[in-house]
Amino acid sequence: MYILVSDDISELGMEKLQAIPGASVVVKTGMSEAELVREIAEADALIVRSQTKVTAAVIEAAKNLKVIGRAGVGVDNIDVTAATKRGIIVINAPDGNTISAAEHTFAMLISMARKIPQADASIRAKKWDRKSFIGVELRGKTLAVLGLGRIGTEVAKRAQAFGMRVVGYDPFVTEERAQKLGIQKLPLEQAIEEGDFITVHTPLTKETRHMLNADAFRRMKDGVRIVNCARGGIIDEQALCEALHSGKVAGAAIDVFEQEPLAPDHPLLSAPNVVMTPHLGASTVEAQVNVAIDVAEEVGRILQGLPFRNAVNLPSLTAEQKAFLEPYLTLGERLGLFVAQWLDGPVAALEVTYGGELADQDVSFVTRTVLKGWFGYKYADEVNYVNAPFLAEQSGLTIREVKQPKSRVFTNLITLSVQSADGVHRISGTLNNGFGPRIVEIDGYTLDVAPEGKMLFTHHVDQPGMIGRIGTLLGDAGVNIAAMQVGRKESGGEAIMILSVDKMVSDDVVAKIGEVPGIRSVRAIDL
Ligand code: NAD
Ligand code: MLT
């Protein structure tokens, strides 16, 4: 297994990578995109910090890549969409640098409030100037925290210890959680208007790009102070420079920039009352060790097929959730695989209904396995949990999850309702504790079949001699029948049959069975 490390990571992380069984670890830093495109071709894993730009071209050139590991939080240097399409897992190390980034934010905030870098520069210039560096206290002031995730909440705790009132904005955090943290949750506009200090701690997304722009600065208190130790681009730098020059903003403390490294003629360098650091939020001994170890361990687990936690492009499951869902993943995948071999032609919509004890669970991973089974049949090895939803969507399938707390008979039930060219077809499966996964219903016909092995599936008129004729054709072809299940709604109506067989029924035998009078459809299915 070839692991390419394209940004420097801590020695302890390197040791963990080298300890992965069968790993050959190569460090090549400072590569251009063209060089990385060449190097990535055979790599199984790529480890980066924030310097390497993992573009669509890089991902396209990777032939064996299974995982991209980011030693840090932000993944904005990785084209996650391109990786997802190729089924490549993207992981980050979200916890390891939280405290360092929160402490750096606070160091920046206090440096700005007390003009420490400017005073330091002055005394080094052999001046004893005590008038130019009058600062402000934090006690009694309002800090507006935009983004109440890991770092935002740690910053809030530190601000409270300094006697600050903390207000916050984060559409994804509940009122209760904010209250527990002693933070008054406010709408964005109000948080911006109330802050004496405003600090941003969101990721950089379409929604947060230029969240603090000229309009936002206009709304703020005169003499507001701004901190950005999250991502360049959350603040419109042009608008910030104007607000600093006009005096609307009394100070800014900035660790991250729209373009890094900062251009030598960048207007922030000549704006008044600005404290800057070159993206140092996570630059502590502790954080670098933590993120390198976290990412190396996760990459090791992925390459060895073991459970992992921090995927950016997969839903995360706790060990408990995973243990509970594991057998349902098998059932879901087999149901998807069955549908792929059963239904012809274009399929417009899939509804997956989760009944009984499944209704209380996060089942999105089970839906992914249904799609993995289905589209894996079509595209073979190219499909995994990561890209199955993308491939389904690309084929025009709309997917809906429905939950029904009570199932009629079963303690748990998964039903796939599929809108195909000839109408809606349904297949249901359950997990029977004593017997494992079972198919219990197809198009309204009740059955009890293990979804495994090779099968022949027929839909036919319920008339004497059908089973005998099919049996004879299989016998003539040397196909041994191991088990049989028939489902019908009424005598003399229509019926379905699943035969478990010892070897796959060939296309010509399937065609001959299809010609038997009364046969509506016949499929050879391999689960
Ligand atoms: P996190 O995921 O724990 O928290 C981010 C929070 O932002 C979440 O609570 C989320 O709900 C919220 N959010 C998302 N979209 C939002 C929106 N439109 N409006 C308001 N809130 C929104 O992440 P974290 O670990 O706290 O990291 C926060 C930021 O700090 C990230 O941008 C990360 O890349 C950056 N970071 C920078 C450094 C550095 O060296 N300067 C170090 C670590 C992290
Ligand atoms: C992060 O997102 O973790 C930080 O920006 C730190 C880094 O540069 O890795």
Side-chain angles (χ1 to χ4, degrees):
M1 272 176 302
Y2 171 25
I3 302 175
L4 177 62
V5 181
S6 65
D7 290 327
D8 281 318
I9 63 163
S10 109
E11 201 43 50
L12 285 169
M14 287 299 297
E15 284 170 19
K16 290 262 174 207
L17 288 176
Q18 275 144 358
I20 298 171
S24 127
V25 185
V26 175
V27 181
K28 279 199 179 161
T29 57
M31 280 185 279
S32 66
E33 186 184 41
E35 287 166 328
L36 183 55
V37 159
R38 270 198 304 280
E39 279 301 321
I40 198 79
E42 303 306 324
D44 294 279
L46 173 67
I47 312 289
V48 301
R49 281 193 58 196
S50 53
Q51 207 166 330
T52 300
K53 305 290 172 245
V54 190
T55 60
V58 171
I59 288 165
E60 189 54 44
K63 302 285 170 267
N64 299 330
L65 200 62
K66 290 155 196 77
V67 52
I68 302 168
R70 159 74 163 103
V73 185
V75 289
D76 38 297
N77 56 322
I78 300 170
D79 190 332
V80 178
T81 309
T84 303
K85 285 180 191 171
R86 291 280 320 278
I88 297 165
I89 301 168
V90 179
I91 55 150
N92 66 353
D95 306 309
N97 60 27
T98 300
I99 298 302
S100 291
E103 288 182 357
H104 191 70
T105 304
F106 232 80
M108 294 291 275
L109 192 148
I110 294 176
S111 296
M112 167 181 60
R114 301 304 296 267
K115 307 187 180 183
I116 289 170
Q118 294 91 331
D120 178 80
S122 164
I123 200 166
R124 284 173 197 283
K126 317 280 184 246
K127 293 186 201 159
W128 191 255
D129 177 0
R130 298 181 63 214
K131 284 193 226 95
S132 305
F133 307 112
I134 303 292
V136 288
E137 281 189 354
L138 304 187
R139 186 185 50 161
K141 302 282 164 39
T142 297
L143 174 68
V145 181
L146 311 182
L148 297 169
R150 282 173 287 254
I151 298 168
T153 53
E154 289 298 330
V155 168
K157 280 187 209 162
R158 283 150 183 79
Q160 286 156 350
F162 273 81
M164 298 183 90
R165 168 182 173 244
V166 182
V167 301
Y169 167 70
D170 190 323
F172 306 104
V173 165
T174 60
E175 200 66 57
E176 295 74 52
R177 172 148 172 79
Q179 257 175 28
K180 242 190 205 161
L181 293 162
I183 301 170
Q184 187 183 353
K185 211 182 147 208
L186 296 176
L188 178 60
E189 290 72 20
Q190 207 179 330
I192 283 173
E193 284 163 9
E194 292 198 11
D196 298 298
F197 291 78
I198 299 175
T199 183
V200 294
H201 297 286
T202 66
L204 178 65
T205 63
K206 279 205 294 291
E207 287 73 34
T208 63
R209 180 175 290 282
H210 290 188
M211 189 182 212
L212 298 189
N213 55 17
D215 184 44
F217 286 119
R218 263 192 297 279
R219 288 172 169 275
M220 293 175 197
K221 286 184 179 172
D222 290 342
V224 64
R225 289 176 167 81
I226 307 289
V227 185
N228 184 4
C229 290
R231 273 293 174 272
I234 300 173
I235 300 179
D236 177 346
E237 287 170 357
Q238 187 64 37
L240 174 62
C241 285
E242 281 163 22
L244 281 160
H245 281 291
S246 74
K248 173 80 189 180
V249 170
I254 310 288
D255 182 49
V256 285
F257 303 88
E258 295 196 36
Q259 287 297 326
E260 294 179 6
L262 197 63
D265 59 347
H266 194 285
L268 270 174
L269 291 168
S270 50
N273 303 317
V274 187
V275 176
M276 286 182 282
T277 46
H279 202 144
L280 295 185
S283 295
T284 62
V285 175
E286 294 84 351
Q288 286 317 305
V289 168
N290 290 344
V291 294
I293 289 180
D294 287 353
V295 86
E297 286 180 346
E298 284 279 84
V299 165
R301 282 188 211 108
I302 291 170
L303 292 179
Q304 293 171 85
L306 300 171
F308 54 93
R309 292 178 297 139
N310 294 323
V312 170
N313 52 358
L314 275 179
S316 67
L317 297 177
T318 61
E320 223 177 14
Q321 283 173 315
K322 194 153 194 325
F324 175 81
L325 288 178
E326 198 77 62
Y328 292 108
L329 301 184
T330 308
L331 175 61
E333 186 161 352
R334 299 274 169 86
L335 292 178
L337 188 52
F338 191 104
V339 168
Q341 298 169 80
W342 168 28
L343 301 177
D344 289 329
V347 166
L350 164 70
E351 188 176 274
V352 190
T353 306
Y354 294 95
E357 65 188 17
L358 280 168
D360 304 327
Q361 299 291 325
D362 176 358
V363 287
S364 60
F365 220 100
V366 184
T367 305
R368 278 177 183 263
T369 64
V370 169
L371 299 172
K372 177 173 175 273
W374 186 336
F375 289 87
Y377 181 75
K378 218 165 148 182
Y379 301 109
D381 291 348
E382 301 291 302
V383 182
N384 60 19
Y385 296 122
V386 180
N387 63 359
F390 165 77
L391 292 170
E393 211 174 276
Q394 205 183 34
S395 78
L397 190 69
T398 59
I399 303 148
R400 205 164 86 92
E401 275 173 10
V402 178
K403 290 192 171 177
Q404 282 177 351
K406 285 205 169 60
S407 141
R408 283 164 300 141
V409 190
F410 302 99
T411 54
N412 59 74
L413 193 70
I414 302 176
T415 300
L416 310 188
S417 304
V418 184
Q419 175 78 56
S420 74
D422 63 343
V424 177
H425 292 277
R426 283 160 49 98
I427 180 166
S428 299
T430 190
L431 200 70
N432 178 327
N433 281 341
F435 300 97
R438 314 293 292 180
I439 296 173
V440 288
E441 191 183 313
I442 296 181
D443 278 350
Y445 297 95
T446 305
L447 298 159
D448 182 15
V449 180
E452 63 189 24
K454 297 171 179 32
M455 299 173 165
L456 187 81
F457 173 52
T458 64
H459 175 203
H460 55 267
V461 177
D462 181 33
Q463 61 191 11
M466 290 303 282
I467 295 172
R469 272 183 218 125
I470 294 169
T472 305
L473 285 168
L474 289 176
D476 291 348
V479 178
N480 197 30
I481 299 171
M484 183 178 84
Q485 273 276 322
V486 182
R488 66 176 189 184
K489 292 175 191 164
E490 55 185 338
S491 171
E494 307 229 331
I496 61 164
M497 176 169 72
I498 290 188
L499 297 175
S500 298
V501 289
D502 287 349
K503 68 175 185 188
M504 198 62 184
V505 183
S506 63
D507 290 348
D508 58 320
V509 177
V510 168
K512 276 187 202 152
I513 294 172
E515 284 162 15
V516 172
I519 289 282
R520 301 265 190 258
S521 69
V522 53
R523 295 281 181 275
I525 287 179
D526 189 359
L527 300 182

